Amino acid sequence: MLNPIPFFTPSTPFGPFQPLHEYVITNGEQLTWDNWYHLFVIPLVPLYVQALLLRYEGTRYYRIAVGVVGAVLIARAGCCYRLTQPWLNAINNGLGIGTMHLVARYLEFSFIEGPLLDRYFEAKGRHPLIAALDVAVNARWIGLGAIDLDQNGKVDSGHAHPQKNGHISPSKDDTDVIDGGIELSQRHQSIPNNVERVKEKWLPWPKVKRTRFQSVRRHLYIALRNYVIFDACLHLIRHYGPNTIGADHPVPNALYKFSHENQFIVFPILKGVIGEVVAPWWLVEVITEISVATGVWLGIAAGYHLLGGLLVASGLWETESWEVDIFDNPLASDSLLDFWGKRWHQFFRHHFILYSTLILRLLRIPINSGTILFTSFVLSGAMHSIGQFTMTPHPPLLPIFLIFPLSGLGCIAEVFFKRTTGRKVRGPWGKLWTWVMMLSIGRLGTVAWLESGVGGSYLTPPAAGRWVTDNLLDGILVEMKRK
C-alpha cells in the first residue's frame, strides 16, 4: 500500500508541491527592472482577452483556449522570476500567492457562464475597452451580479445554492450567515437589465458622493497615511529586533527571545516623573502581533488606494467606481463572520466559494453554510501556505495553513450559536470573543513568520518609518534595553 506524500515535514514541507518549490529556488531568475514585464505584463494579456470575450454569449470554448495559454504563462513566469535578495524575501510570498490567484482567475474566466459586464457604468458611457479592463481587475466582483458556471448548478459571486428537481431552492442554512457576508441571497439573480448598481452587502459602500478631485485626494491621502504607519511598523521590528524578530535570516524562538531578553520602558520621557514603567513580556508579544497584522492590513489598503487614485485621476474611470474601500474597518468586527465575511478584503471570495462548491459536489457532500465555510477556509489556508513556494527561507507551512481552518471552525461555531440560541454573535461580548480568537489564531502566523526571517524584509521604501521612529517613538514613547 502506497504511503501518502507527507505534508509539513522538514524534508517535504510543500508535500506534492515540493519539486515545484525546489525548482523555483534553484532556477528562479532575479526579478529586475529589465525583465519585470515578463511577470507583470505578458502573462496578464490573455486575462484581458478573456474579459473582452466575456462580453458576448457563447464564447466559453474560446475563453477556455485563451485561459489555458494564460494559466501556462502566469505559472511559468511565477516559477521563473523571484527576488533573490534576503531583505526582499517577504515580497516573494506576495508573488507566489498572486500567481496562484491569477491561475484561479483564468479558470474562472474560462468556465463561468457569462456574459460578464458592469451594466451600471456602461450605461454611463464607459468605453468597452476600459470596461473589459475593469472586469479583468475586479477581483471582488463589485457590481457584476451573479455569475454562474452553468445552468444546472448555479454558483454566483458569493452564494451557493442547493438544487431540487433541477431548480434552485433555498435551504435553511442560506439564512444563517447573512450578516456575516458569506451568503446574501436565497435565490439566483441574473445580471440585471436595468442600470441600477448592484450593491453587495458585504462591501463597505460609500455614503458620500465626491468630485474627481475630492476622490483622488482621498485615495492618495489614505495611501500615504497607510504607507507611513506600515513602514513605521516594519522599521520598528527591524530597529528593536535586528538579531531576533527583525533579522533577515531564520532565528529559532525569535519572538520569545525578543520579549524575554529585552526590557521596554514605556514613556521614558516621563521617567523623572513616573519612574520606569516596564512593559510585561506578554504585552510586548501582543503589540508585536498587532503590528504584523496591522502591517498586512494597511499595506494592502495602501496599494489599493494608490491604484484607485491614479486610475480616477486618469479620467478613464468614474469617481464612484473606486469609492468602495478594500477593507471595512476590521477593528470594528464583533464576530468572526463579520471579520472574514465583510470587513477583511474579499479578493479571493468568488473563487473560494466557486471551487468549494465544485469540490463538495464532486465528493457528494451536502452543500450548505457549514461545508461551504469550512472548505473555503481550507482552500484559503492551502493558498496562503503553498503560496510561499517562491520564498527561501520560508516560514513553516503548518502554522500558516492552520490560521484559516481554525478561523473557519470559529465561524461555524457562531452559526451553531445562532441556531441554538436564536441570537447572533455581536456586541461587546462578540468583540471580546472575536479578538481573543484572532489574537490566539494569529499568533501562529506571527511566530512562524518572525522566526523565518521575514521580519527583516523590506516591503515598503524605507523612509517614513525611520523618521517616525527616530523623532516620535524611540526615547519618547518607548525605550529598549537589554536585560
Side-chain angles (χ1 to χ4, degrees), residues 55 104-105 119 122 152 176 185 213 227 456 468 470 477:
R55 300 178 58 80
R105 291 281 283 172
R119 294 188 185 277
E122 298 217 17
N152 294 321
D176 281 334
S185 173
F213 174 77
Y227 156 69
V468 170
D470 293 344
L477 295 183

Side-chain angles (χ1 to χ4, degrees), residues 47-91:
L47 191 67
Y48 181 65
V49 175
Q50 281 187 313
L52 286 171
L53 291 172
L54 270 168
R55 300 178 58 80
Y56 306 100
E57 298 275 2
T59 61
R60 180 178 285 176
Y61 291 115
Y62 300 106
R63 287 186 275 116
I64 290 173
V66 175
V68 170
V69 174
V72 170
L73 286 176
I74 189 61
R76 181 181 180 278
C79 293
C80 291
Y81 298 97
R82 57 185 296 272
L83 295 167
T84 58
Q85 302 94 325
W87 56 90
L88 296 177
N89 188 37
I91 300 178

Side-chain angles (χ1 to χ4, degrees), residues 101-383:
H101 168 64
L102 287 169
V103 169
R105 291 281 283 172
Y106 273 119
L107 294 177
E108 280 180 323
F109 279 15
S110 295
F111 294 108
I112 56 178
E113 184 178 11
L116 184 60
L117 50 92
D118 190 330
R119 294 188 185 277
Y120 176 84
F121 283 118
E122 298 217 17
K124 289 179 172 290
R126 177 185 280 173
H127 194 281
L129 295 179
I130 298 299
L133 181 60
D134 192 74
V135 166
V137 301
N138 192 350
R140 295 190 295 158
W141 244 242
I142 297 174
L144 298 179
I147 308 299
D148 301 326
L149 269 178
D150 52 61
Q151 296 180 356
N152 294 321
K154 295 188 178 296
V155 180
D156 68 19
S157 56
H159 327 125
H161 306 281
Q163 298 181 72
K164 185 177 181 180
N165 299 326
H167 300 285
I168 306 305
S169 62
S171 71
K172 180 179 183 297
D173 292 324
D174 289 331
T175 62
D176 281 334
V177 291
I178 291 177
D179 286 348
I182 302 300
E183 298 184 51
L184 301 172
S185 173
Q186 296 183 14
R187 299 182 304 277
H188 167 66
Q189 298 175 351
S190 61
I191 299 175
N193 292 319
N194 53 40
V195 295
E196 294 181 3
R197 191 172 188 188
V198 178
K199 293 186 177 181
E200 297 86 351
K201 293 182 180 179
W202 68 84
L203 293 173
W205 286 91
K207 299 179 181 179
V208 178
K209 187 174 180 61
R210 298 179 176 88
T211 65
R212 187 173 300 275
F213 174 77
Q214 290 171 333
S215 179
V216 172
R217 182 178 62 184
R218 171 179 172 268
H219 283 302
L220 297 184
Y221 165 74
I222 294 175
L224 179 61
R225 180 199 65 190
N226 287 7
Y227 156 69
V228 171
I229 299 174
F230 184 24
D231 194 48
C233 290
L234 292 171
H235 182 73
L236 284 171
I237 289 174
R238 295 191 298 264
H239 177 73
Y240 287 124
N243 299 315
T244 52
I245 63 173
D248 61 5
H249 56 275
V251 178
N253 301 315
L255 185 58
Y256 177 88
K257 292 177 180 177
F258 176 69
S259 62
H260 285 73
E261 295 178 357
N262 302 297
Q263 280 189 335
F264 291 87
I265 313 301
V266 182
F267 300 116
I269 196 171
L270 300 177
K271 279 193 293 186
V273 179
I274 61 176
E276 284 194 350
V277 180
V278 180
W281 67 266
W282 57 266
L283 181 60
V284 173
E285 293 194 359
V286 168
I287 292 176
T288 301
E289 181 180 347
I290 292 174
S291 296
V292 172
T294 300
V296 174
W297 164 24
L298 297 182
I300 294 174
Y304 177 85
H305 284 285
L306 177 61
L307 179 61
L310 296 176
L311 294 182
V312 173
S314 72
L316 298 176
W317 270 260
E318 309 81 4
T319 296
E320 59 201 282
S321 65
W322 278 87
E323 283 297 286
V324 179
D325 286 345
I326 188 172
F327 292 96
D328 187 10
N329 189 14
L331 295 178
S333 304
D334 58 1
S335 72
L336 292 175
L337 283 170
D338 185 37
F339 178 88
W340 289 112
K342 179 181 179 181
R343 298 190 179 276
W344 198 247
H345 75 77
Q346 304 296 304
F347 273 158
F348 312 125
R349 179 193 191 91
H350 183 262
H351 56 241
F352 282 157
I353 298 289
L354 185 85
Y355 298 136
S356 294
T357 304
L358 293 178
I359 290 172
L360 293 172
R361 193 181 298 160
L362 180 65
L363 298 177
R364 299 186 181 278
I365 297 174
I367 299 174
N368 54 47
S369 299
T371 56
I372 285 286
L373 271 170
F374 188 70
T375 307
S376 296
F377 276 106
V378 169
L379 292 179
S380 182
M383 185 190 72

Side-chain angles (χ1 to χ4, degrees), residues 374 377-382 400-412 441:
F374 188 70
F377 276 106
V378 169
L379 292 179
S380 182
I400 305 296
F401 171 79
L402 287 177
I403 291 174
F404 298 93
L406 290 176
S407 296
L409 291 175
C411 290
I412 293 172
I441 296 171

